[in-house]
Amino acid sequence: MDFESNYDIVGSAQFIRTHDFTRVALQFPDHLLKDSTRVVTALRKRLQSLKKIDVTEGGHEKDVGLFVMADTAYGSCCVDEVGASHINADSVIHYGHTCFSPTTNLPAFFVFGKASVCIPDCVESMSKYALINSKPIMVLFGLEYAHSIQQIKERLLKPSDPKLEVHFADVPSSVMFPSKDTKKINGLQEPASGYHGESGTTYSIGGLTWKLPEGQSMDDYSLFWIGLDDSAFANVVLTFNTCDIVLMSIVVVKIPIKIMNLFDSAILEARYELDWWQDFRYDANENQMVTDLFQQRRILKRRYYLVERAKDANIVGILVGTLGVAGYLHIINQMMELITGAGKKAYTLVMGRPNPAKLANFPECDVFLYVSCAQSALLDSKEYLAPVITPFEAMIAFNRGSQWTGAYVMEFRDLINLPQTEVADQEEEARFSFLKGGYVEDFGNQENVEEEREALALVNATEKALQLRNNSNAIVKGNARSGAEFLATRSYQGLNMPIENISPEPYLIGRRGRASGYEDEKNQQ
Amino acid sequence: MARKKDDQRAMVGSEEVKFTIDQLRRIMDRKHNIRNMSVIAHVDHGKSTLTDSLVAAAGIIAQEVAGDVRMTDTRQDEAERGITIKSTGISLYYEMLEGDLKNFKGEREGNEFLINLIDSPGHVDFSSEVTAALRITDGALVVVDCVEGVCVQTETVLRQALGERVKPILAVNKMDRCFLELNLDPEEAYLTFQRVVESANVIMATYEDALLGDIQVYPEKGTVAFSAGLHGWGFTLTNFAKMYASKFGIDEAKMMSRLWGANFFDSATKKWTNKHSGTATCKRGFVMLCYEPIKQIIELCMSDQRDELWSKLQKIGVNMKSEEKELTGKALMKRVMQSWLPASSALLEMMIYHLPSPASAQQYRVQNLYEGPLDDPYASAIRNCDPEGPLMLYVSKMIPASDRGRFYAFGRVFSGRVSTGLKVRIMGPNFIPGEKKDLYVKSVQRTVIWMGKKQETVEDVPCGNTVAMVGLDQFITKNATLTNEKEVDAHPIRAMKFSVSPVVSVAVTSRVPSDLPKLQEGLKRLAKSDPMVVCTMSETGEHIISAAGELHLEICLKDLQVDFMNGAEVSISDPIVSFRETVFERSCRTVMSKSPNKHNRLYVEARPTEDGLAEAIDDEKIGPGVDPRNRSRILSEEFGWDKDLTKKIWCFGPEGKGPNMVVDTCKGVQYLNEIKDSIVAGFELASKEGPLADENMRGVCFEICDVILHADTIHRGGGQIIPTARRVFYAATLTARPRLLEPVYLVEIQAPEQVLGGIYNVLNQKRGQVFEEIHRPGTPLYTVKAYLPVIESFKFNESLRAQTGGQAFPQLVFDHWDMVSSDPLEPGTPAAARVAEIRRKKGLKEQITPLCEFEDKL
């Protein structure tokens, strides 16, 4: 694959030229940064040649400023509009893997890159799979494979086998303009999980869109994914987790025995767990079909656990995970309302891309709510001291009466127009915590408590300050309802008692060197 | 008009109604005429059957069927399995004759008595039900099978009763076995009974309590009854003493003392002696005057010698109805014995005479019950059992109501009164006085008294009584303290301490995903319905049900599916046994971890805690709640700690109270106080999920040897220290030869000699270790005691039954944690395999994270 086509130099130049952009930011993810200079050179050359044509046509003359942006503060899949606005850019060209989240202000051009795929193998296994499978197949793919899809499609449908019902998602256009419609900026766009148009339901996820005829839903289809096991795939998997399970046999030429085994175990598993979805993945690099999605299935269960954990939280930290995705302010406000409505305390934290050490600086937060684009939304690791949940999970956790149904929404934009489930509080009941195995108090149930607490917070805190603490060891974590209360229960209150011996300390020579190994330590080794 | 209506509210549908609900309610106000008692025993020693005969006396069931109905076994599965699963309350009305009360010294108002009785299960798995029953009663009728004697569960429940300051009386039950089944020689029978009484007394003697007084039981003082629950007869020595006192013309009390112990009567010389004189006519008082007359009557009945029987009966003043004379064999015997020595009157009399009324019991029980200061108005209201005082009510369990999904809150009023419509403050188990956590104010919709299978609504219930309430179930999980709405200063009543813990777990998922809400609702109800079962969730998102034993779990799962989920199916995982992680010796070196910014370093060593220290922490003898001076003393005296070190315990964990700790041994480190909270937070995480298999740690003491901190506060914040602390604790554990601890059951099996071989076989297969085998004198029975790892115990019952032809019944109760001797870090060992298995189940990488991930080099 040659360089120019991989980086779509022609398309990018065309994009700049046709819209007359003068300051263009080129956003590279870290692993592509090494190519940035070559891309800039090539692009500039291309623009030059286009300019010549322009000049001959007698247009105006302008220099195009190209700026390379690296090291984005948030996920590299989103367009870094804040970074681009630092240099007053009027458009962004985004390279590499993208989540295709809509931008707020700047037009963007996406270069997905082109990954190679062995088309005949892919077509063969797909058609075999389709023959045995009773359900129609919907083919979804990673954007970096978009370039081969047309070929696969042609090849696959060439035999004109009427029985073969294979549908392909549409290849997205590489150009994105921020929506002028204010309603849309607020995020009121078509929901990713599908909306009912006149002629059927349109789905869109991670840039891919497709349409299903009237009366059909994704449950009637089997999903076929061409691409890597990356965040885009995880996104698809979680969003369409209710897709009906179809048992299918796949025979891949290369390793039939292994696949048959996988198939057998898949039958068993499916019989055992009818509740979870199953779809199939075609890994283009290794050219093999993977049906064992146990790991992904676990994720969903794990998310269910995190939701239950979040229900027990008193203090929620809202992590701002994006400054670019359209509607992020709206969702943050909505989440704030939701959390305070549930009688919990919310703090908004802006810290760039979160990591465990950063989050551990806020031990008072029982749970973090991460507002970001769909593909970087899932943060889960043992390293985190408190669970990190998505806005959708927060909706379930903090809305009294909403149930975990297994349906999952990754894009927070879809939550904005999700109907607020009005929970008629007809039966007052304390909330049952499944982690503690008993009833726990819900502050929402107790009127006026919150108000009183706000007004008297200081008074209460000072009152407690003078309480006799019989045992400093009795530190109870997790009962604090606000950051102030948490700090009040800390054993360390800010100052050490002056040590009786106040004679001056002798002069000492400190350590030298860097923290990773001071000089005296280096000598020891 | 109203009067008449009230009369129609008479108790139960049987024709022979002996009392009305109004009568019952009237006595509830007379706190000296109430007895609250539980019936406790080993499984299958005849509690429920004996209870039946008491209920029969109250007229709730017909005398004829007493012994067969098991009035207090209200559930279908209880009836089918023939064991009690839930404790059931029943209120009985009993009117004593004036003459029978002439020796009664205590306070009373009139001759009518109210007995609030709770029948409890005998199987170890349901011990929590016993605990809940004991909390709300003042006396306990300990039932012991005269042949099997005092068994493991008898001992457990007896200890629990004494721990709660519940006064015990003894019933030596299944007397009929002596006569009909074993045909014991009278003297031998006496010795058997004596052994039962003695072994019970041995246990009680260890609980000397000045306030409770002498708690041992003596047949000659009337605190031991002899009964045959199945046939509905029974007696105390009082009955016989009364009978003979008039005949011999001696004092009743003197007569009584001669009926037990080394008192012999020679019928030839008509003399009483203290020793057996050796002549054939010399017989023990008990044998001659109690045992043999009964034996004679029974033999006459069974051999159908009617004429002689009638004349004998005439002599002892028993009149039989003509239709009863038609009976033959066992039926006749049962009827005759019931008329002669009705169990109910013997037992009820014993209860009224020897068990404390709430008024007297609460005087000393207040110390056990009330958490707050003992001189506040609430404590004194409890102490005086004051109906006009503030309401203090302890809800000890929740009982499923007939309309699905709702529960009655069942408990005891200790002071004040609870009435329909009363607004009450509900203080949950996590309530802390002065705070608003776990606190609700709600109205009682209805107050109900419990009558076994039936319930009766009453206007209000005064202190000293048990009560069930409607309308509070959505705020109480298992237990709670209730008080009046305005009594904001009241402290709660102390939480119950269970003798068993939930060690057996399974994961449940709904078969159909759309049933998840049903499953959640079902689990919620299950958690309420049982005092012990714990419904939690694993980190992998599965719902976990933990119970005390296999049988308990089985019952819970059945309840969940059939009753609480309306038949929706769930899939149940294999049993999950929780393990613990510990260390075998001190860390081989001081390990160090650096913070993510490399500026802070923690140096830590791990070492096992001293023997018995972990248990002491479990028992809250040394723990966060203990006065530091006391803790310091116990640690230095019993565990040989350095005095200074005992003051440097930073924390316990997990949950702030577990059997692991952090001790600060470093000197002169600046800013150390500042990072203490962060280290505690890191320790909490580490001790909850150990490095081997994410299981809780147990018995590990971490010593902080040195700390290097960055001079700027911002660089030694929680974000830097908490993860570092966790890593360094893991590293210290891994360098201290980590080991796995597995839970071990104590198994007690009673079986005849011929099946002992089979028992040993099964135990051997299951890694069991027999440590005691005792022949029970006077019987063909052997008692085998063994330790059995919980992980091997599944299907133990089945294999035992198969190997012994159903003649051996094991009782399994969690006993201790035992170290798995092999090294889990060495591949191929059983411990390593176990660790890999746990990790796989939890969805972790099978390989233990290596030390180098946690320890940093200089």
Side-chain angles (χ1 to χ4, degrees):
Chain A
M1 203 77 60
D2 73 309
F3 184 79
E4 291 247 333
S5 115
N6 198 10
Y7 282 98
D8 199 9
I9 302 296
V10 179
S12 332
Q14 200 63 47
F15 167 75
I16 296 169
R17 186 48 60 190
T18 46
H19 297 99
D20 275 340
F21 293 124
T22 50
R23 296 172 77 82
V24 180
L26 310 180
Q27 184 187 344
F28 287 90
D30 291 350
H31 67 277
L32 294 180
L33 210 53
K34 58 181 193 298
D35 290 340
S36 59
T37 48
R38 284 175 70 196
V39 170
V40 169
T41 324
L43 199 55
R44 196 158 273 154
K45 216 193 253 165
R46 185 78 205 167
L47 282 169
Q48 279 307 329
S49 64
L50 280 176
K51 201 161 98 182
K52 274 174 201 152
I53 304 165
D54 261 11
V55 170
T56 51
E57 278 170 11
H60 44 267
E61 243 179 270
K62 249 189 280 175
D63 246 349
V64 178
L66 297 177
F67 302 86
V68 173
M69 293 198 299
D71 196 22
T72 52
Y74 302 101
S76 55
C77 61
C78 309
V79 175
D80 184 7
E81 286 184 84
V82 178
S85 57
H86 279 305
I87 44 148
N88 277 331
D90 48 16
S91 69
V92 180
I93 297 177
H94 181 278
Y95 292 92
H97 179 79
T98 176
C99 56
F100 232 84
S101 304
T103 54
T104 324
N105 291 316
L106 298 176
F109 183 85
F110 292 94
V111 177
F112 310 127
K114 288 173 184 172
S116 63
V117 53
C118 176
I119 293 167
D121 273 3
C122 180
V123 168
E124 191 181 340
S125 53
M126 219 191 289
S127 58
K128 278 191 178 155
Y129 161 60
L131 277 174
I132 298 150
N133 183 27
S134 62
K135 284 195 175 184
I137 295 167
M138 177 57 68
V139 181
L140 305 182
F141 43 88
L143 293 175
E144 58 273 35
Y145 297 97
H147 66 102
S148 318
I149 291 303
Q150 197 53 37
Q151 280 173 291
I152 295 178
K153 201 170 174 176
E154 278 165 15
R155 284 243 205 154
L156 190 66
L157 301 177
K158 204 179 283 168
S160 64
D161 187 349
K163 276 189 279 178
L164 213 60
E165 220 188 318
V166 182
H167 305 265
F168 284 81
D170 297 332
V171 180
S173 126
S174 313
V175 186
M176 178 188 284
F177 283 95
S179 174
K180 292 286 179 293
D181 192 347
T182 43
K183 257 178 85 184
K184 283 194 172 180
I185 287 175
N186 280 343
L188 299 176
Q189 290 175 326
E190 64 266 37
S193 36
Y195 82 108
H196 297 277
E198 278 164 36
S199 57
T201 320
T202 308
Y203 289 86
S204 89
I205 187 167
L208 302 173
T209 55
W210 65 94
K211 201 177 244 178
L212 295 187
E214 190 86 47
Q216 282 190 324
S217 72
M218 277 316 286
D219 294 357
D220 303 326
Y221 285 81
S222 303
L223 288 175
F224 199 102
W225 173 261
I226 302 175
L228 299 168
D229 182 7
D230 55 4
S231 56
F233 175 62
N235 186 9
V236 169
V237 156
L238 282 180
T239 307
F240 297 110
N241 64 56
T242 46
C243 273
D244 206 19
I245 305 154
V246 197
L247 279 177
M248 36 191 141
S249 74
I250 309 146
V251 182
V252 168
V253 189
K254 279 187 175 174
I255 35 165
I257 294 164
K258 190 174 174 194
I259 296 301
M260 283 313 288
N261 286 346
L262 276 173
F263 167 50
D264 283 345
S265 67
I267 294 178
L268 287 175
E269 220 157 69
R271 220 178 259 156
Y272 194 65
E273 290 190 45
L274 282 172
D275 47 341
W276 303 107
W277 44 268
Q278 183 184 22
D279 54 7
F280 288 85
R281 199 142 55 84
Y282 181 81
D283 202 324
N285 266 339
E286 291 169 33
N287 276 343
Q288 67 179 45
M289 304 279 265
V290 184
T291 56
D292 182 22
L293 295 167
F294 188 60
Q295 207 52 41
Q296 271 77 9
R297 207 167 299 151
R298 283 195 105 108
I299 295 176
L300 204 64
K301 282 190 164 190
R302 169 79 184 166
R303 301 316 290 186
Y304 172 51
Y305 164 77
L306 294 182
V307 168
E308 292 297 325
R309 266 257 329 248
K311 285 183 181 174
D312 285 353
N314 286 332
I315 305 175
V316 185
I318 302 179
L319 301 176
V320 183
T322 173
L323 294 175
V325 181
Y328 77 95
L329 276 176
H330 189 280
I331 193 79
I332 289 174
N333 285 332
Q334 190 183 329
M335 287 295 133
M336 274 294 230
E337 275 167 36
L338 182 69
I339 292 164
T340 35
K344 299 168 196 299
K345 189 89 184 161
Y347 295 96
T348 313
L349 310 167
V350 185
M351 55 168 69
R353 189 154 178 81
N355 66 35
K358 281 184 195 169
L359 295 193
N361 279 324
F362 302 92
E364 56 269 56
C365 292
D366 303 313
V367 62
F368 293 98
L369 169 54
Y370 188 42
V371 177
S372 75
C373 72
Q375 297 194 4
S376 54
L378 295 185
L379 281 183
D380 188 24
S381 151
K382 283 197 74 70
E383 296 293 306
Y384 289 102
L385 308 183
V388 183
I389 60 169
T390 64
F392 169 72
E393 288 160 349
M395 297 277 266
I396 297 179
F398 302 139
N399 248 339
R400 211 63 211 289
S402 40
Q403 284 277 3
W404 177 270
T405 54
Y408 201 91
V409 182
M410 295 286 287
E411 299 265 2
F412 66 72
R413 277 165 290 127
D414 307 335
L415 294 174
I416 296 170
N417 23 358
L418 214 65
Q420 283 278 336
T421 37
E422 276 304 320
V423 189
D425 225 4
Q426 76 284 70
E427 253 200 294
E428 251 187 81
E429 185 176 358
R431 193 175 60 73
F432 191 89
S433 157
F434 282 101
L435 291 170
K436 300 194 176 102
Y439 280 121
V440 292
E441 181 183 23
D442 245 356
F443 300 122
N445 265 0
Q446 308 210 332
E447 313 106 49
N448 303 331
V449 173
E450 191 58 34
E451 220 174 287
E452 180 201 50
R453 185 172 302 131
E454 288 300 326
L456 295 176
L458 191 65
V459 181
N460 287 341
T462 40
E463 239 172 44
K464 277 173 192 155
L466 272 177
Q467 265 180 1
L468 188 68
R469 289 237 163 68
N470 54 352
N471 190 352
S472 58
N473 281 334
I475 301 156
V476 194
K477 201 218 160 188
N479 295 334
R481 288 161 192 159
S482 71
E485 248 178 72
F486 177 84
L487 290 177
T489 56
R490 275 176 39 143
S491 69
Y492 177 67
Q493 292 296 334
L495 282 176
N496 281 326
M497 285 291 146
I499 307 158
E500 282 169 24
N501 174 19
I502 44 165
S503 63
E505 294 278 324
Y507 175 79
L508 282 174
I509 296 176
R511 284 191 299 263
R512 284 162 156 278
R514 288 165 45 155
S516 56
Y518 295 106
E519 278 176 10
D520 52 331
E521 289 165 359
K522 288 238 173 72
N523 297 339
Q524 286 174 12
Q525 285 174 353
Chain B
M1 217 24 218
R3 184 72 252 159
K4 197 170 174 199
K5 198 177 157 206
D6 283 343
D7 286 344
Q8 282 168 350
R9 288 169 64 203
M11 282 315 305
V12 179
S14 97
E15 304 100 62
E16 193 195 350
V17 171
K18 290 197 181 165
F19 60 101
T20 65
I21 196 73
D22 292 320
Q23 270 177 307
L24 210 63
R25 176 63 194 81
R26 210 166 50 239
I27 325 168
M28 286 167 87
D29 284 322
R30 304 181 195 160
K31 58 184 182 184
H32 296 290
N33 286 29
I34 304 171
R35 300 289 181 271
N36 292 309
M37 48 115 28
S38 21
V39 185
I40 55 176
H42 189 79
V43 66
D44 222 19
H45 280 195
K47 289 173 304 296
S48 302
T49 314
L50 199 60
T51 310
D52 258 9
S53 49
L54 298 179
V55 177
I60 294 176
I61 50 172
Q63 193 72 247
E64 290 76 32
V65 291
D68 305 325
V69 181
R70 294 165 68 104
M71 183 70 185
T72 47
D73 283 357
T74 49
R75 295 159 48 110
Q76 201 192 340
D77 51 354
E78 288 183 324
E80 278 164 11
R81 286 165 188 263
I83 61 165
T84 309
I85 292 165
K86 300 285 175 194
S87 57
T88 313
I90 192 157
S91 296
L92 305 175
Y93 165 89
Y94 187 63
E95 194 170 353
M96 295 273 282
L97 294 173
E98 193 60 43
D100 288 339
L101 280 168
K102 64 179 193 294
N103 291 332
F104 188 74
K105 301 288 188 305
E107 279 184 77
R108 65 182 169 103
E109 303 165 54
N111 304 347
E112 299 159 309
F113 287 88
L114 172 67
I115 290 156
N116 293 318
L117 183 146
I118 298 177
D119 179 31
S120 69
H123 197 283
V124 245
D125 280 13
F126 308 113
S127 294
S128 50
E129 292 279 343
V130 182
T131 316
L134 288 170
R135 167 51 62 90
I136 57 169
T137 53
D138 306 311
L141 178 66
V142 184
V143 182
V144 182
D145 184 323
C146 66
V147 181
E148 291 187 11
V150 173
C151 294
V152 62
Q153 188 62 2
T154 319
E155 191 174 330
T156 321
V157 291
L158 195 51
R159 282 185 196 285
Q160 262 193 3
L162 296 168
E164 281 274 348
R165 287 218 169 114
V166 168
K167 195 168 180 194
I169 50 175
L170 192 70
V172 180
N173 198 21
K174 300 206 180 175
M175 292 283 283
D176 47 320
R177 287 182 76 180
C178 295
F179 299 106
L180 300 175
E181 190 183 304
L182 299 169
N183 221 346
L184 285 182
D185 171 66
E187 181 65 22
E188 223 172 277
Y190 168 82
L191 290 174
T192 312
F193 302 152
Q194 198 195 21
R195 259 194 304 272
V196 170
V197 175
E198 267 171 13
S199 43
N201 275 337
V202 166
I203 299 163
M204 297 193 223
T206 55
Y207 279 82
E208 226 161 283
D209 188 339
L211 285 168
L212 203 53
D214 187 4
I215 42 172
Q216 303 211 7
V217 291
Y218 307 97
E220 65 272 28
K221 286 187 185 163
T223 46
V224 177
F226 300 88
S227 62
L230 195 62
H231 298 161
W233 58 267
F235 62 92
T236 58
L237 295 186
T238 326
N239 298 63
F240 280 96
K242 238 180 250 167
M243 217 182 303
Y244 292 115
S246 50
K247 196 173 161 192
F248 287 105
I250 37 172
D251 182 46
E252 213 177 295
K254 201 170 173 193
M255 190 64 223
M256 196 125 138
S257 66
R258 288 196 172 149
L259 288 179
W260 192 256
N263 288 297
F264 297 87
F265 188 67
D266 197 324
S267 49
T269 58
K270 307 253 180 229
K271 282 264 159 48
W272 287 91
T273 50
N274 287 338
K275 268 200 307 228
H276 198 274
S277 57
T279 57
T281 49
C282 180
K283 278 181 184 163
R284 198 183 284 273
F286 177 80
V287 168
M288 176 147 185
L289 299 174
C290 304
Y291 195 86
E292 290 197 326
I294 296 172
K295 198 174 171 186
Q296 272 172 20
I297 297 280
I298 289 179
E299 272 165 7
L300 287 178
C301 290
M302 295 311 279
S303 57
D304 223 16
Q305 293 165 284
R306 285 163 177 274
D307 298 334
E308 205 173 325
L309 179 65
W310 302 147
S311 68
K312 262 254 162 28
L313 286 179
Q314 202 114 46
K315 245 193 248 166
I316 52 176
V318 176
N319 290 314
M320 304 288 289
K321 290 188 199 126
S322 53
E323 71 263 26
E324 287 168 349
K325 292 192 180 178
E326 303 298 310
L327 296 166
T328 51
K330 260 198 179 162
L332 175 70
M333 186 266 291
K334 191 174 164 184
R335 196 68 216 110
V336 166
M337 290 303 291
Q338 272 175 8
S339 321
W340 181 32
L341 299 166
S344 54
S345 51
L347 290 168
L348 289 167
E349 229 179 282
M350 178 162 79
M351 291 170 198
I352 289 164
Y353 265 86
H354 298 287
L355 290 184
S357 68
S360 56
Q362 284 180 205
Q363 281 175 18
Y364 53 81
R365 287 193 72 197
V366 65
Q367 288 184 9
N368 290 43
L369 293 170
Y370 192 56
E371 249 184 17
L374 290 173
D375 50 0
D376 75 356
Y378 308 100
S380 57
I382 296 175
R383 187 177 295 117
N384 300 330
C385 192
D386 182 2
E388 305 309 321
L391 173 70
M392 287 302 276
L393 192 157
Y394 189 75
V395 175
S396 73
K397 65 172 287 183
M398 307 293 284
I399 306 172
S402 48
D403 49 338
R404 296 218 151 148
R406 301 309 298 263
F407 287 82
Y408 290 99
F410 188 71
R412 153 101 173 249
V413 191
F414 286 101
S415 75
R417 57 179 74 228
V418 62
S419 57
T420 303
L422 182 75
K423 263 202 161 181
V424 290
R425 252 167 90 87
I426 306 172
M427 298 183 270
N430 298 319
F431 170 76
I432 300 160
E435 286 181 27
K436 288 193 169 122
K437 204 175 166 245
D438 215 357
L439 180 75
Y440 311 91
V441 176
K442 286 288 159 307
S443 307
V444 178
Q445 283 172 6
R446 214 144 54 81
T447 47
V448 172
I449 45 179
W450 209 262
M451 306 296 309
K453 286 175 186 172
K454 291 189 80 74
Q455 296 87 44
E456 288 293 330
T457 305
V458 288
E459 195 55 37
D460 65 344
V461 175
C463 59
N465 289 286
T466 50
V467 63
M469 287 155 294
V470 180
L472 304 177
D473 57 333
Q474 291 185 313
F475 301 91
I476 304 175
T477 318
K478 290 178 196 295
N479 38 55
T481 308
L482 308 188
T483 179
N484 295 110
E485 189 191 358
K486 56 183 194 303
E487 308 291 354
V488 290
D489 300 328
H491 287 244
I493 285 172
R494 194 159 284 149
M496 293 185 285
K497 203 166 161 33
F498 295 109
S499 63
V500 286
S501 40
V503 282
V504 190
S505 313
V506 285
V508 288
T509 42
S510 49
R511 243 333 118 77
V512 189
S514 56
D515 275 347
L516 185 68
K518 268 191 188 172
L519 176 66
Q520 290 189 332
E521 187 60 31
L523 288 168
K524 194 155 83 183
R525 292 181 193 167
L526 176 65
K528 276 195 260 191
S529 71
D530 189 287
M532 172 57 66
V533 74
V534 182
C535 300
T536 51
M537 211 171 170
S538 72
E539 297 240 331
T540 49
E542 280 158 320
H543 285 284
I544 307 282
I545 300 176
S546 312
E550 219 183 349
L551 179 63
H552 188 200
L553 196 60
E554 192 187 323
I555 300 285
C556 287
L557 288 171
K558 206 207 97 210
D559 279 2
L560 175 70
Q561 295 185 58
V562 177
D563 291 345
F564 303 138
M565 285 179 68
N566 300 329
E569 272 184 77
V570 295
S571 22
I572 298 156
S573 74
D574 286 337
I576 305 163
V577 177
S578 67
F579 285 76
R580 294 285 182 271
E581 295 178 22
T582 192
V583 295
F584 188 58
E585 59 185 26
R586 179 176 278 276
S587 297
C588 55
R589 60 174 183 274
T590 306
V591 290
M592 185 271 283
S593 296
K594 287 180 193 174
S595 63
N597 66 9
K598 315 277 187 242
H599 285 286
N600 308 288
R601 286 143 196 218
L602 302 176
Y603 294 83
V604 169
E605 279 179 23
R607 65 172 178 83
T609 53
E610 287 77 5
D611 277 348
L613 186 54
E615 286 72 25
I617 297 173
D618 283 343
D619 299 342
E620 291 171 11
K621 272 193 272 178
I622 307 165
V626 179
D627 178 41
R629 267 167 296 173
N630 267 343
R631 183 198 303 153
S632 170
R633 188 181 48 77
I634 299 176
L635 276 176
S636 56
E637 284 172 11
E638 290 179 29
F639 297 104
W641 278 45
D642 183 54
K643 258 275 196 252
D644 292 333
L645 209 57
T646 62
K647 290 170 190 147
K648 291 189 166 176
I649 299 175
W650 271 6
C651 58
F652 296 87
E655 311 291 337
K657 58 182 186 203
N660 307 287
M661 49 181 130
V662 176
V663 184
D664 163 31
T665 62
C666 45
K667 298 208 169 58
V669 175
Q670 223 179 350
Y671 318 122
L672 190 60
N673 282 341
E674 204 181 315
I675 61 154
K676 189 172 155 186
D677 284 307
S678 304
I679 292 194
V680 170
F683 169 68
E684 174 66 34
L685 294 162
S687 58
K688 201 169 185 179
E689 295 178 345
L692 295 180
D694 265 14
E695 296 281 342
N696 284 357
M697 290 191 188
R698 182 182 171 82
V700 185
C701 176
F702 292 106
E703 294 181 352
I704 300 179
C705 305
D706 194 12
V707 175
I708 294 173
L709 294 173
H710 193 278
D712 291 346
T713 327
I714 191 70
H715 295 303
R716 48 180 149 90
Q720 298 297 331
I721 304 298
I722 297 174
T724 316
R726 172 155 70 166
R727 286 174 65 228
V728 80
F729 289 138
Y730 283 162
T733 311
L734 288 176
T735 49
R737 295 180 65 192
R739 287 288 183 273
L740 220 50
L741 294 175
E742 64 172 350
V744 176
Y745 276 133
L746 170 70
V747 193
E748 192 191 82
I749 309 167
Q750 283 214 336
E753 191 179 1
Q754 63 270 23
V755 300
L756 281 183
I759 294 174
Y760 277 86
N761 259 346
V762 179
L763 280 172
N764 275 341
Q765 279 166 22
K766 304 251 177 196
R767 288 200 287 135
Q769 284 177 325
V770 179
F771 64 93
E772 198 179 283
E773 183 197 305
I774 300 175
H775 177 233
R776 199 163 278 283
T779 68
L781 294 177
Y782 277 79
T783 305
V784 177
K785 284 189 183 175
Y787 290 127
L788 180 72
V790 172
I791 194 103
E792 304 284 350
S793 70
F794 305 106
K795 310 284 167 214
F796 177 70
N797 259 338
E798 277 85 342
S799 20
L800 197 64
R801 201 172 305 147
Q803 285 268 347
T804 61
Q807 291 195 60
F809 291 101
Q811 289 274 306
L812 287 79
V813 61
F814 170 72
D815 193 72
H816 65 276
W817 295 97
D818 198 19
M819 193 180 285
V820 179
S821 55
S822 54
D823 184 356
L825 297 180
E826 200 175 296
T829 58
R834 183 71 69 207
V835 165
E837 190 193 324
I838 302 170
R839 292 184 70 94
R840 199 169 48 242
K841 272 188 190 163
K842 288 187 177 175
L844 306 165
K845 268 188 259 137
E846 271 188 41
Q847 285 305 313
I848 297 172
T849 319
L851 176 62
C852 57
E853 293 277 307
F854 301 125
E855 191 188 15
D856 288 313
K857 291 276 177 290
L858 283 173

